Amino acid sequence: KLPVTVVQDFPEEGQAFKMSLGTKNDAFAGIDLTQVVFDASLFTGLKMSKNAKELAALREAMTREELIYNIGNAFYDIIYTQALLESNITTLSIMDSIYRKTELQVAQQVVREIDLNRMRVNISNLKVENEKTTAVVEQQMNYLKVLMGMPLTYDFRLSSGEELLHPTLHEANDTQTALNDMIELRILDKAKHGNLLEINQLKNAYLPSLSFVASTGYTFQSDKLNFGKSDLWSNGVYVGVRLSVPIFDGAQNHHKIRQAQSRLKKAEEEIKQTQQNLLSSHQNALAQLRVGYKAVNVQKDNLEVAEKIPARNCS
């Protein structure tokens, strides 16, 4: 049903004339084109997209580094536990041999039976300890399989290969530069840069934008659905530019900028805190390395002295 249009003072003054305009059936088919010429907010959004892609790549690299570290750490934990288990097995074999000799000495009343009982208790405790260590090795192997994406039913053995090298103490001359290059801080810096881009994008929303527009299409108008008649179709084309000037948004954008600035301050404080934590961890690890380095040297000297003792006794 077509709408009615009222024409006042027609055909005479004080009278109104009603009429229906248009056709009952309308159809339109066409193409609209819009090309942004200038939009500071949109261009900043493209930079934000690139920054987000780089941030995702850094997080992927950090996940890869953490996985490599965890696998290496699990490997050396297993090597250490296996070496401890082998040492305990050797000690248990020696204690069993001594225990059998002590039994003969007790029978000959050379040694007290209480000493034999103490050895029995120590041997029992060492056997229990070996069982616990064996269980720990199995747990560590399962954890390593999970990290490496292997089925838990897959069976393999680890070997340290060549003898582990004697540690050498190295101290970085420029610790701060090394810490700033760590991937954790690089991720936080990228996140901070993203906050800065977000603030710029919100501020650019106050700037006008300019776009090129074009449209073309065909319009059908008729009281009957006779799409085949060419004289019922008409073509229209227009081209131009559209300038959009923001005037008032109810201070909504202003509050968004304040929130983004708050997130930026939080990111800056997080960077400072992370730097302090990394520096503290670095210094603690360096101190532990010094202690471990000295301990290895002491044990090496003790081993050399122990190897010379039998030769002196023989001479």
Side-chain angles (χ1 to χ4, degrees), residues 113-133:
E113 188 175 357
I114 188 173
D115 295 330
L116 184 64
N117 293 334
R118 289 175 180 172
M119 292 186 63
R120 184 186 298 113
V121 171
N122 291 335
I123 291 174
S124 298
N125 291 337
L126 187 57
K127 288 181 178 179
V128 173
E129 187 66 27
N130 287 349
E131 292 178 0
K132 292 182 180 179
T133 306

PDB file of all heavy atoms in Angstrom, residues 113-133:
ATOM      1  N   GLU A 113      77.392 -58.138  68.522  1.00  0.00           N
ATOM      2  CA  GLU A 113      76.212 -58.358  67.688  1.00  0.00           C
ATOM      3  C   GLU A 113      75.445 -57.067  67.431  1.00  0.00           C
ATOM      4  O   GLU A 113      74.779 -56.929  66.404  1.00  0.00           O
ATOM      5  CB  GLU A 113      75.299 -59.389  68.352  1.00  0.00           C
ATOM      6  CG  GLU A 113      74.135 -59.817  67.471  1.00  0.00           C
ATOM      7  CD  GLU A 113      73.322 -60.925  68.107  1.00  0.00           C
ATOM      8  OE1 GLU A 113      73.691 -61.404  69.192  1.00  0.00           O
ATOM      9  OE2 GLU A 113      72.297 -61.307  67.479  1.00  0.00           O
ATOM     10  N   ILE A 114      75.554 -56.112  68.363  1.00  0.00           N
ATOM     11  CA  ILE A 114      74.839 -54.845  68.182  1.00  0.00           C
ATOM     12  C   ILE A 114      75.357 -54.092  66.952  1.00  0.00           C
ATOM     13  O   ILE A 114      74.606 -53.416  66.258  1.00  0.00           O
ATOM     14  CB  ILE A 114      74.961 -53.975  69.461  1.00  0.00           C
ATOM     15  CG1 ILE A 114      74.048 -52.752  69.332  1.00  0.00           C
ATOM     16  CG2 ILE A 114      76.415 -53.571  69.712  1.00  0.00           C
ATOM     17  CD1 ILE A 114      73.983 -51.937  70.599  1.00  0.00           C
ATOM     18  N   ASP A 115      76.674 -54.265  66.684  1.00  0.00           N
ATOM     19  CA  ASP A 115      77.221 -53.633  65.486  1.00  0.00           C
ATOM     20  C   ASP A 115      76.641 -54.272  64.223  1.00  0.00           C
ATOM     21  O   ASP A 115      76.384 -53.589  63.231  1.00  0.00           O
ATOM     22  CB  ASP A 115      78.743 -53.755  65.485  1.00  0.00           C
ATOM     23  CG  ASP A 115      79.367 -52.965  66.641  1.00  0.00           C
ATOM     24  OD1 ASP A 115      78.775 -51.955  67.046  1.00  0.00           O
ATOM     25  OD2 ASP A 115      80.435 -53.376  67.131  1.00  0.00           O
ATOM     26  N   LEU A 116      76.451 -55.579  64.292  1.00  0.00           N
ATOM     27  CA  LEU A 116      75.839 -56.281  63.157  1.00  0.00           C
ATOM     28  C   LEU A 116      74.403 -55.828  62.938  1.00  0.00           C
ATOM     29  O   LEU A 116      73.959 -55.648  61.798  1.00  0.00           O
ATOM     30  CB  LEU A 116      75.897 -57.785  63.398  1.00  0.00           C
ATOM     31  CG  LEU A 116      75.374 -58.667  62.255  1.00  0.00           C
ATOM     32  CD1 LEU A 116      76.235 -58.508  61.027  1.00  0.00           C
ATOM     33  CD2 LEU A 116      75.320 -60.131  62.688  1.00  0.00           C
ATOM     34  N   ASN A 117      73.668 -55.630  64.021  1.00  0.00           N
ATOM     35  CA  ASN A 117      72.273 -55.163  63.912  1.00  0.00           C
ATOM     36  C   ASN A 117      72.211 -53.764  63.307  1.00  0.00           C
ATOM     37  O   ASN A 117      71.312 -53.450  62.525  1.00  0.00           O
ATOM     38  CB  ASN A 117      71.609 -55.187  65.282  1.00  0.00           C
ATOM     39  CG  ASN A 117      71.445 -56.608  65.801  1.00  0.00           C
ATOM     40  OD1 ASN A 117      71.371 -57.563  65.026  1.00  0.00           O
ATOM     41  ND2 ASN A 117      71.387 -56.756  67.123  1.00  0.00           N
ATOM     42  N   ARG A 118      73.150 -52.925  63.680  1.00  0.00           N
ATOM     43  CA  ARG A 118      73.190 -51.582  63.110  1.00  0.00           C
ATOM     44  C   ARG A 118      73.428 -51.641  61.603  1.00  0.00           C
ATOM     45  O   ARG A 118      72.816 -50.893  60.827  1.00  0.00           O
ATOM     46  CB  ARG A 118      74.285 -50.759  63.777  1.00  0.00           C
ATOM     47  CG  ARG A 118      73.977 -50.367  65.220  1.00  0.00           C
ATOM     48  CD  ARG A 118      75.166 -49.669  65.854  1.00  0.00           C
ATOM     49  NE  ARG A 118      74.879 -49.297  67.229  1.00  0.00           N
ATOM     50  CZ  ARG A 118      75.795 -48.803  68.063  1.00  0.00           C
ATOM     51  NH1 ARG A 118      77.041 -48.634  67.649  1.00  0.00           N
ATOM     52  NH2 ARG A 118      75.454 -48.479  69.314  1.00  0.00           N
ATOM     53  N   MET A 119      74.323 -52.517  61.201  1.00  0.00           N
ATOM     54  CA  MET A 119      74.563 -52.658  59.769  1.00  0.00           C
ATOM     55  C   MET A 119      73.330 -53.169  59.046  1.00  0.00           C
ATOM     56  O   MET A 119      73.024 -52.730  57.936  1.00  0.00           O
ATOM     57  CB  MET A 119      75.737 -53.611  59.540  1.00  0.00           C
ATOM     58  CG  MET A 119      77.078 -53.071  60.000  1.00  0.00           C
ATOM     59  SD  MET A 119      78.422 -54.167  59.535  1.00  0.00           S
ATOM     60  CE  MET A 119      78.302 -54.095  57.766  1.00  0.00           C
ATOM     61  N   ARG A 120      72.592 -54.099  59.674  1.00  0.00           N
ATOM     62  CA  ARG A 120      71.372 -54.624  59.057  1.00  0.00           C
ATOM     63  C   ARG A 120      70.353 -53.509  58.856  1.00  0.00           C
ATOM     64  O   ARG A 120      69.688 -53.423  57.817  1.00  0.00           O
ATOM     65  CB  ARG A 120      70.787 -55.737  59.917  1.00  0.00           C
ATOM     66  CG  ARG A 120      69.552 -56.391  59.268  1.00  0.00           C
ATOM     67  CD  ARG A 120      68.889 -57.403  60.176  1.00  0.00           C
ATOM     68  NE  ARG A 120      69.795 -58.505  60.488  1.00  0.00           N
ATOM     69  CZ  ARG A 120      70.283 -58.747  61.708  1.00  0.00           C
ATOM     70  NH1 ARG A 120      69.961 -57.963  62.726  1.00  0.00           N
ATOM     71  NH2 ARG A 120      71.097 -59.784  61.923  1.00  0.00           N
ATOM     72  N   VAL A 121      70.233 -52.638  59.864  1.00  0.00           N
ATOM     73  CA  VAL A 121      69.293 -51.511  59.759  1.00  0.00           C
ATOM     74  C   VAL A 121      69.731 -50.569  58.634  1.00  0.00           C
ATOM     75  O   VAL A 121      68.906 -50.092  57.836  1.00  0.00           O
ATOM     76  CB  VAL A 121      69.206 -50.759  61.095  1.00  0.00           C
ATOM     77  CG1 VAL A 121      68.401 -49.460  60.930  1.00  0.00           C
ATOM     78  CG2 VAL A 121      68.572 -51.623  62.151  1.00  0.00           C
ATOM     79  N   ASN A 122      71.025 -50.289  58.570  1.00  0.00           N
ATOM     80  CA  ASN A 122      71.518 -49.392  57.511  1.00  0.00           C
ATOM     81  C   ASN A 122      71.281 -49.978  56.123  1.00  0.00           C
ATOM     82  O   ASN A 122      70.934 -49.265  55.178  1.00  0.00           O
ATOM     83  CB  ASN A 122      73.003 -49.115  57.727  1.00  0.00           C
ATOM     84  CG  ASN A 122      73.263 -48.270  58.960  1.00  0.00           C
ATOM     85  OD1 ASN A 122      72.395 -47.526  59.402  1.00  0.00           O
ATOM     86  ND2 ASN A 122      74.460 -48.401  59.537  1.00  0.00           N
ATOM     87  N   ILE A 123      71.503 -51.292  56.000  1.00  0.00           N
ATOM     88  CA  ILE A 123      71.261 -51.946  54.713  1.00  0.00           C
ATOM     89  C   ILE A 123      69.788 -51.892  54.343  1.00  0.00           C
ATOM     90  O   ILE A 123      69.429 -51.618  53.181  1.00  0.00           O
ATOM     91  CB  ILE A 123      71.764 -53.405  54.768  1.00  0.00           C
ATOM     92  CG1 ILE A 123      73.297 -53.439  54.847  1.00  0.00           C
ATOM     93  CG2 ILE A 123      71.283 -54.186  53.552  1.00  0.00           C
ATOM     94  CD1 ILE A 123      73.868 -54.819  55.056  1.00  0.00           C
ATOM     95  N   SER A 124      68.908 -52.125  55.302  1.00  0.00           N
ATOM     96  CA  SER A 124      67.459 -52.058  55.028  1.00  0.00           C
ATOM     97  C   SER A 124      67.057 -50.649  54.612  1.00  0.00           C
ATOM     98  O   SER A 124      66.269 -50.455  53.665  1.00  0.00           O
ATOM     99  CB  SER A 124      66.686 -52.493  56.276  1.00  0.00           C
ATOM    100  OG  SER A 124      66.991 -53.830  56.618  1.00  0.00           O
ATOM    101  N   ASN A 125      67.581 -49.648  55.315  1.00  0.00           N
ATOM    102  CA  ASN A 125      67.265 -48.258  54.961  1.00  0.00           C
ATOM    103  C   ASN A 125      67.767 -47.922  53.566  1.00  0.00           C
ATOM    104  O   ASN A 125      67.093 -47.218  52.803  1.00  0.00           O
ATOM    105  CB  ASN A 125      67.874 -47.304  55.984  1.00  0.00           C
ATOM    106  CG  ASN A 125      67.204 -47.406  57.341  1.00  0.00           C
ATOM    107  OD1 ASN A 125      66.048 -47.839  57.451  1.00  0.00           O
ATOM    108  ND2 ASN A 125      67.911 -47.019  58.396  1.00  0.00           N
ATOM    109  N   LEU A 126      68.952 -48.420  53.218  1.00  0.00           N
ATOM    110  CA  LEU A 126      69.493 -48.125  51.894  1.00  0.00           C
ATOM    111  C   LEU A 126      68.680 -48.807  50.805  1.00  0.00           C
ATOM    112  O   LEU A 126      68.489 -48.248  49.720  1.00  0.00           O
ATOM    113  CB  LEU A 126      70.959 -48.568  51.830  1.00  0.00           C
ATOM    114  CG  LEU A 126      71.718 -48.170  50.558  1.00  0.00           C
ATOM    115  CD1 LEU A 126      71.674 -46.664  50.363  1.00  0.00           C
ATOM    116  CD2 LEU A 126      73.166 -48.646  50.627  1.00  0.00           C
ATOM    117  N   LYS A 127      68.179 -50.001  51.079  1.00  0.00           N
ATOM    118  CA  LYS A 127      67.323 -50.677  50.098  1.00  0.00           C
ATOM    119  C   LYS A 127      66.037 -49.888  49.865  1.00  0.00           C
ATOM    120  O   LYS A 127      65.591 -49.745  48.716  1.00  0.00           O
ATOM    121  CB  LYS A 127      66.999 -52.086  50.579  1.00  0.00           C
ATOM    122  CG  LYS A 127      68.168 -53.059  50.525  1.00  0.00           C
ATOM    123  CD  LYS A 127      67.760 -54.437  51.002  1.00  0.00           C
ATOM    124  CE  LYS A 127      68.929 -55.426  50.911  1.00  0.00           C
ATOM    125  NZ  LYS A 127      68.544 -56.775  51.392  1.00  0.00           N
ATOM    126  N   VAL A 128      65.450 -49.409  50.965  1.00  0.00           N
ATOM    127  CA  VAL A 128      64.241 -48.585  50.824  1.00  0.00           C
ATOM    128  C   VAL A 128      64.553 -47.308  50.045  1.00  0.00           C
ATOM    129  O   VAL A 128      63.775 -46.863  49.184  1.00  0.00           O
ATOM    130  CB  VAL A 128      63.657 -48.254  52.205  1.00  0.00           C
ATOM    131  CG1 VAL A 128      62.503 -47.263  52.080  1.00  0.00           C
ATOM    132  CG2 VAL A 128      63.186 -49.518  52.900  1.00  0.00           C
ATOM    133  N   GLU A 129      65.704 -46.715  50.329  1.00  0.00           N
ATOM    134  CA  GLU A 129      66.098 -45.496  49.633  1.00  0.00           C
ATOM    135  C   GLU A 129      66.289 -45.762  48.144  1.00  0.00           C
ATOM    136  O   GLU A 129      65.934 -44.931  47.297  1.00  0.00           O
ATOM    137  CB  GLU A 129      67.391 -44.950  50.244  1.00  0.00           C
ATOM    138  CG  GLU A 129      67.802 -43.586  49.719  1.00  0.00           C
ATOM    139  CD  GLU A 129      66.816 -42.497  50.111  1.00  0.00           C
ATOM    140  OE1 GLU A 129      66.141 -42.639  51.135  1.00  0.00           O
ATOM    141  OE2 GLU A 129      66.743 -41.493  49.364  1.00  0.00           O
ATOM    142  N   ASN A 130      66.845 -46.924  47.817  1.00  0.00           N
ATOM    143  CA  ASN A 130      67.010 -47.273  46.400  1.00  0.00           C
ATOM    144  C   ASN A 130      65.671 -47.446  45.696  1.00  0.00           C
ATOM    145  O   ASN A 130      65.510 -47.060  44.524  1.00  0.00           O
ATOM    146  CB  ASN A 130      67.837 -48.551  46.278  1.00  0.00           C
ATOM    147  CG  ASN A 130      69.303 -48.320  46.585  1.00  0.00           C
ATOM    148  OD1 ASN A 130      69.749 -47.178  46.686  1.00  0.00           O
ATOM    149  ND2 ASN A 130      70.063 -49.396  46.748  1.00  0.00           N
ATOM    150  N   GLU A 131      64.706 -48.035  46.403  1.00  0.00           N
ATOM    151  CA  GLU A 131      63.377 -48.168  45.813  1.00  0.00           C
ATOM    152  C   GLU A 131      62.752 -46.802  45.561  1.00  0.00           C
ATOM    153  O   GLU A 131      62.125 -46.573  44.521  1.00  0.00           O
ATOM    154  CB  GLU A 131      62.495 -49.007  46.737  1.00  0.00           C
ATOM    155  CG  GLU A 131      62.913 -50.473  46.837  1.00  0.00           C
ATOM    156  CD  GLU A 131      62.033 -51.253  47.791  1.00  0.00           C
ATOM    157  OE1 GLU A 131      61.113 -50.639  48.370  1.00  0.00           O
ATOM    158  OE2 GLU A 131      62.249 -52.470  47.947  1.00  0.00           O
ATOM    159  N   LYS A 132      62.928 -45.894  46.509  1.00  0.00           N
ATOM    160  CA  LYS A 132      62.397 -44.537  46.322  1.00  0.00           C
ATOM    161  C   LYS A 132      63.091 -43.846  45.151  1.00  0.00           C
ATOM    162  O   LYS A 132      62.441 -43.179  44.332  1.00  0.00           O
ATOM    163  CB  LYS A 132      62.591 -43.725  47.600  1.00  0.00           C
ATOM    164  CG  LYS A 132      61.743 -44.177  48.775  1.00  0.00           C
ATOM    165  CD  LYS A 132      61.981 -43.273  49.981  1.00  0.00           C
ATOM    166  CE  LYS A 132      61.134 -43.700  51.165  1.00  0.00           C
ATOM    167  NZ  LYS A 132      61.380 -42.846  52.357  1.00  0.00           N
ATOM    168  N   THR A 133      64.391 -44.004  45.059  1.00  0.00           N
ATOM    169  CA  THR A 133      65.139 -43.372  43.965  1.00  0.00           C
ATOM    170  C   THR A 133      64.718 -43.948  42.621  1.00  0.00           C
ATOM    171  O   THR A 133      64.603 -43.219  41.626  1.00  0.00           O
ATOM    172  CB  THR A 133      66.641 -43.565  44.182  1.00  0.00           C
ATOM    173  OG1 THR A 133      67.009 -43.093  45.486  1.00  0.00           O
ATOM    174  CG2 THR A 133      67.441 -42.794  43.149  1.00  0.00           C
TER     175      THR A 133
END
